[in-house]
Amino acid sequence: MTIRVSLDDLPETVSLHYGTSAYIITSAGILSPRVTNVEVIFDQVIVEPNPVDNNTNEPKQQQTIIRTRLGKSACKELKANQNLTILWPANSYVSTNGATGGKRENNEEKDTMVLSLIVDERLLTNIPPEGGGEIEIVPLSAMQHAPRTL
């Protein structure tokens, strides 16, 4: 089961069901993907319209970004490939009608399941910090996934 999460709802979904600890997956394309446990912070920034793609006078837009810190090796991979994924492991329950329900308590519902949250992202700036440090990333899509069973 897959449930699309609106990017507008992403900060609230993470806050209510997952928390700030997540795993970032980076890959330079040559070696195995690198998985790093990080703390993430959601923030809002003002983004200028792209002048190449925009011949109109569109106003600046507010956009949700995620801030986190990565080490030297992960930043080196981001130089080669600026796309990454953030994974929040299965921690939230959802009813079969699609409404999120948070963590189960003693009164478990039979029609609920545990879900992971997977967010595809790209680096906001073209160059990650040398030697590691804070990065800003832009969410592109977000999905909650139920584990496949055998």
Side-chain angles (χ1 to χ4, degrees):
M1 175 181 201
T2 300
I3 300 169
R4 182 175 298 277
V5 176
S6 161
L7 296 180
D8 292 336
D9 296 336
L10 185 59
E12 182 180 9
T13 299
V14 169
S15 175
L16 288 174
H17 304 293
Y18 297 97
T20 58
S21 180
Y23 294 92
I24 286 189
I25 303 154
T26 57
S27 176
I30 300 167
L31 304 172
S32 298
R34 174 176 297 279
V35 179
T36 307
N37 185 226
V38 297
E39 181 177 352
V40 299
I41 298 170
F42 285 87
D43 201 356
Q44 297 286 319
V45 296
I46 303 298
V47 178
E48 296 274 351
N50 185 342
V52 174
D53 298 333
N54 181 15
N55 293 329
T56 65
N57 290 326
E58 285 187 30
K60 297 177 183 178
Q61 297 178 349
Q62 195 168 22
Q63 184 172 16
T64 298
I65 64 164
I66 295 175
R67 295 180 196 275
T68 192
R69 296 187 68 80
L70 288 179
K72 179 180 175 181
S73 297
C75 284
K76 186 176 179 181
E77 287 188 348
L78 284 175
K79 280 188 174 182
N81 178 6
Q82 295 174 358
N83 296 307
L84 60 141
T85 299
I86 297 182
L87 166 68
W88 280 268
N91 188 31
S92 183
Y93 292 87
V94 68
S95 68
T96 52
N97 68 8
T100 55
K103 295 181 180 178
R104 276 191 207 180
E105 301 295 333
N106 291 334
N107 302 337
E108 296 181 9
E109 295 180 34
K110 292 181 181 179
D111 57 348
T112 61
M113 61 181 55
V114 67
L115 298 172
S116 296
L117 177 63
I118 300 171
V119 182
D120 290 325
E121 319 242 357
R122 71 173 164 73
L123 194 61
L124 182 62
T125 57
N126 291 334
I127 302 171
E130 284 290 330
E134 184 174 296
I135 62 167
E136 296 177 339
I137 45 185
V138 178
L140 302 174
S141 66
M143 300 285 206
Q144 289 177 311
H145 292 278
R148 301 269 186 223
T149 57
L150 298 175

